[in-house]
């Protein structure tokens, strides 16, 4: 009989839009030949839209058994008020980190009781909290050879990782964020059997906070999955795409895209030209959409259409500061598309330095200057584009990733 392995993540499914969810899906499906793979997840498909939830229960998806649990938050209507009471410990830890003291203190005192009780109530009051899932893990822990938790943000991971820590692998998907400083996180990051990081920059960030008390860890990473390319002529006509365009791909949210549109429009004012900005992805209700003819919003596209749009882009931009890997960056490099990324993301900045296939920017002026270099110099774009596939193949090919993960599972 195959060993049973459970992935634990807040959302799962082909219709789910999100990097962490895609990461989980790709890993789970590629382990099916070797293990009896299950996914423990919630019924949530779209955050904040209960009408679109999946049904509760068990189903099968590409050989993976999916167990969905209905959220039942404790004190859900008091979530924001509870969060306000949890700020003291987080602020103290963040202040100590700014003084470069937190890692050293955590090495001697891994776990903090200050605020941990209030923080637990906060996670239990999250809208997507699933007590039934945690009870399932507790009651069935002996049946599984390994639990693989993804994304440290949610209660399923924070509270679930310590139920069977001796057989738990944590894939935190961490980036510099105030949520890393919750005191309750220490139990998760120090007690699990192994932490599988995506990049060295991610590992440095976490180690700075938890010091030498950090659980055993290694770099595992994730590969990419590319759909066949849709007919370019049809895609181009359907969305009114130009011959040359700068591509933004992902959720169109204030936290990710606030500066991209005004910075691009200022670039156009300074340099002119026919190039446009194409924004692909769902748009949040509170985002202010530009009515400029130089900005094209496509909304959601199919995977096949996405592949075509990426492969025909002149330059791709990623303005996010919060990345633990950036699958979109890897996909662009694989498709020989030069990138311009936010230099405040240590992860993406490391990709730039290691690959030579991307530029980073540090300010709006720097964004415009480097974008002009890329757009105006075809030879520079060609030179950069040739370096991308080799970098992805060496570090993030599935032939590298899956053996690493299997070795970890077998070591438990």
């Amino acid at each position: 009989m195959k060993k049973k392995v459970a992935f634990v993540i807040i959302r799962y499914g082909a219709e789910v839009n999100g990097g962490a969810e895609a990461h989980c899906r790709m890993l789970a499906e590629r382990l099916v030949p070797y293990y009896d793979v299950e996914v423990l997840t919630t019924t949530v498909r779209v955050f904040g839209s209960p009408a679109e939830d999946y049904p509760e229960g068990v189903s099968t998806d590409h050989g993976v058994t999916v167990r969905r649990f209905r959220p039942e938050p404790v004190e859900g209507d008091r979530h924001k008020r509870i969060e306000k009471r949890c700020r003291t410990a987080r602020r103290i830890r963040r202040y100590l980190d700014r003084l470069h003291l937190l890692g050293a203190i955590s090495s001697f005192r891994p776990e903090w009781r200050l605020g941990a009780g209030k923080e637990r109530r906060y996670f239990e009051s999250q809208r997507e909290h699933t007590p039934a899932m945690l009870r399932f893990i507790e009651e069935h822990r002996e049946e599984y050879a390994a639990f693989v938790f993804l994304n440290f943000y949610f209660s399923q991971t924070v509270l679930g990782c310590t139920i069977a820590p001796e057989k738990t692998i944590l894939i935190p998907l961490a980036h510099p964020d105030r949520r890393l400083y919750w005191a309750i996180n220490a139990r998760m990051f120090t007690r699990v059997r192994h932490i599988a990081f995506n990049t060295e920059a991610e590992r440095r960030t976490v180690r700075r906070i938890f010091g030498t008390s950090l659980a055993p860890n290694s770099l595992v990473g994730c590969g990419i999955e590319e759909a066949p390319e849709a007919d370019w002529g049809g895609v181009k006509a359907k969305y009114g795409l130009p011959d040359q365009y700068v591509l933004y791909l992902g959720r169109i949210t204030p936290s990710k895209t606030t500066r991209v549109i005004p910075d691009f429009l200022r670039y156009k004012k300074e340099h002119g030209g026919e190039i446009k900005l194409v924004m692909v992805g769902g748009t949040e209700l509170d985002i202010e959409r530009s009515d400029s003819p130089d900005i094209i919003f496509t909304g959601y596209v199919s995977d096949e259409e996405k592949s075509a749009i990426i492969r025909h882009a002149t330059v791709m931009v990623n303005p996010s500061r919060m990345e633990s890997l950036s699958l979109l960056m890897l996909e662009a490099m694989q498709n020989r598309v030069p990138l311009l990324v936010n230099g405040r993301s240590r992860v993406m900045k490391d990709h730039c330095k290691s690959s030579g296939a991307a530029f980073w920017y540090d300010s709006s002026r720097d964004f415009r200057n480097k974008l002009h270099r890329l757009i105006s110099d075809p030879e520079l774009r060609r030179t950069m584009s040739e370096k991308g596939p080799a970098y992805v193949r060496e570090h993030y090919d599935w032939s590298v990733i899956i053996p690493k993960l299997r070795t970890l599972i077998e070591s438990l």
Side-chain angles (χ1 to χ4, degrees), residues 335-346:
N335 284 284
R336 302 176 183 274
V337 178
L339 289 121
L340 182 58
V341 304
N342 193 333
R344 296 180 68 182
S345 166
R346 296 188 182 106

Side-chain angles (χ1 to χ4, degrees), residues 121-176:
R121 287 185 62 199
Y122 164 80
F123 281 103
E124 290 176 341
S125 71
Q126 283 184 344
R127 185 179 299 172
E128 300 83 14
H129 178 56
T130 47
M133 179 196 293
L134 301 182
R135 290 195 297 269
F136 180 89
I137 295 172
E138 180 67 58
E139 293 167 3
H140 298 271
R141 59 192 293 175
E142 299 304 325
E143 300 174 18
Y144 296 87
F147 293 96
V148 184
F149 287 81
L150 284 92
N151 203 341
F152 82 98
Y153 267 65
F154 299 99
S155 67
Q156 289 79 11
T157 302
V158 174
L159 304 181
C161 267
T162 53
I163 294 175
E166 73 283 356
K167 56 175 64 177
T168 290
I169 297 169
L170 170 63
I171 302 178
L173 308 179
H175 40 68

